[in-house]
Amino acid sequence: MMGRGRGAWWQDRFADRGARITAPREVVLEILQETDDHVTAADVYVKAHERNPSIGLTTVYRTLDMLTQMGIVQKFDFGDGKARYELVNNPGGKKHHHHLVCLRCKAIVDYTEFLDDELEFIGKTQQRLSKKYDFDITDHAISFYGVCARCR
Amino acid sequence: MMGRGRGAWWQDRFADRGARITAPREVVLEILQETDDHVTAADVYVKAHERNPSIGLTTVYRTLDMLTQMGIVQKFDFGDGKARYELVNNPGGKKHHHHLVCLRCKAIVDYTEFLDDELEFIGKTQQRLSKKYDFDITDHAISFYGVCARCR
DNA sequence: CATTTAATGATAATGGTTTTCATTTTTAAT
DNA sequence: ATTAAAAATGAAAACCATTATCATTAAATG
């Protein structure tokens, strides 16, 4: 139903990198796929620990970091002292979106509108940057900052 | 030469907010204007302390935070555990730019190219978002993520 | 099965950032 | 000016998310 064999879509990416598919890593991926929020490492840890009490916080951090480096997860910092994580491509989950951040109360609005123009612009820019700086670009993030109605 | 009276461009913004123009704040602004880097709070503190040893680290943090909320400074987190700050509009300083981040070594490339297309896209999107979500948008950030040549 | 390598988890340590609180400075009022 | 009220400051302590350490366990390899 997805990918080759009976593995999930991300398993091939692990293989390419020589990373082992372990129980804790599977649990973390599961959890990320089930949520639509920007979760913190602690959030993931709590849920992971419920399913498998042997999973430690350290491993959650390490796994999230690995996934970030692989481009499977995107790491954000909205300014409240905790990093947030979310799947880059969540099949059947939340779709591509960007963020609108209130500089006062740190509220986050996820917007999915107006992405048609973006597609063209990002595509072209990514290609140019990629070539000029010899980067293997896998992702991007756009954030707008301002003050929300309630804080004004 | 700039703004009204003999004040710097940011003084009016302070007045509007009822924020006082104090010596430590002036020093922090000076320092930010003199650099083209993404400085950490500690960086600013060291320089500020040189000019006026009575300035404390706490005040530097508080000032940077205030400036961020006012939209005068942009705060970044590139994933190395320290927040970075830079002036949004630095007259005579570094020009508008965005970032290309290596997910492995966390190297940052500031790019200033290809901003013509951006101008149009960002302008339109900002206006739409502003209206739809009732946000007073003052700034934006675009980041591309990938793996640099050396890490590949 | 044996061996090597990777991954894990409990704990301790780290360190950037924030809180606390007494003091000082600035502004507004008298 | 003098005084009273409010804002800003700084030293030190507290916080807390994240990372390093290291002994143990699990997985891949031949």
Side-chain angles (χ1 to χ4, degrees), chain A residues 135-150:
Chain A
F135 253 72
D136 209 349
I137 299 178
T138 56
D139 201 14
H140 66 273
I142 302 178
S143 299
F144 284 90
Y145 302 94
V147 182
C148 72
R150 290 181 43 190

Side-chain angles (χ1 to χ4, degrees), chain B residues 39-85:
Chain B
V39 291
T40 64
D43 292 336
V44 175
Y45 169 68
V46 168
K47 290 184 183 173
H49 201 260
E50 278 171 11
R51 304 186 192 187
N52 183 343
S54 83
I55 296 178
L57 178 59
T58 309
T59 297
V60 170
Y61 270 106
R62 277 190 291 230
T63 302
L64 290 172
D65 189 57
M66 186 184 77
L67 294 174
T68 302
Q69 288 198 26
M70 293 172 73
I72 291 175
V73 158
Q74 207 172 53
K75 181 181 179 182
F76 290 98
D77 181 344
F78 295 129
D80 66 346
K82 307 169 209 184
R84 310 269 164 174
Y85 302 85

Side-chain angles (χ1 to χ4, degrees), chain A residues 2-148:
Chain A
M2 38 174 147
R4 65 175 175 238
R6 63 160 202 50
W9 57 273
W10 47 268
Q11 305 211 345
D12 292 351
R13 311 272 303 266
F14 272 54
D16 292 344
R17 204 180 200 256
R20 294 175 180 171
I21 295 165
T22 65
R25 289 173 177 178
E26 283 185 313
V27 171
V28 169
L29 260 313
E30 270 172 38
I31 289 168
L32 289 174
Q33 281 175 96
E34 289 167 14
T35 183
D36 260 3
D37 280 333
H38 324 95
V39 292
T40 64
D43 292 336
V44 175
Y45 169 69
V46 169
K47 289 184 183 172
H49 202 259
E50 279 172 11
R51 304 188 192 188
N52 183 343
S54 83
I55 296 177
L57 178 60
T58 308
T59 297
V60 170
Y61 270 105
R62 277 189 292 231
T63 302
L64 290 172
D65 189 56
M66 185 185 75
L67 295 174
T68 302
Q69 288 198 25
M70 292 172 74
I72 291 174
V73 157
Q74 208 172 51
K75 182 181 181 181
F76 290 98
D77 181 344
F78 295 130
D80 66 346
K82 308 169 207 182
R84 311 268 164 176
Y85 302 85
E86 57 185 295
L87 279 181
V88 171
N89 294 308
N90 194 350
K94 175 170 270 184
K95 49 175 173 269
H96 186 62
H97 65 277
H98 291 300
H99 303 283
L100 187 51
V101 185
C102 175
L103 294 169
R104 295 270 168 77
C105 67
K106 326 230 139 132
I108 310 294
V109 173
D110 290 5
Y111 72 90
T112 55
E113 304 90 346
F114 323 129
L115 299 181
D116 308 318
D117 293 328
E118 177 201 319
L119 197 63
E120 188 196 336
F121 161 67
I122 288 290
K124 200 196 288 180
T125 305
Q126 175 167 332
Q127 190 183 315
R128 287 159 156 180
L129 288 174
S130 205
K131 186 173 180 185
K132 169 149 191 180
Y133 295 105
D134 198 6
F135 253 72
D136 209 349
I137 299 178
T138 56
D139 201 14
H140 66 273
I142 302 178
S143 299
F144 284 90
Y145 302 94
V147 182
C148 72

Side-chain angles (χ1 to χ4, degrees), chain B residues 23-36:
Chain B
R25 288 174 179 176
E26 283 185 312
V27 171
V28 169
L29 260 314
E30 270 172 37
I31 290 168
L32 290 175
Q33 281 175 97
E34 290 166 14
T35 183
D36 260 4

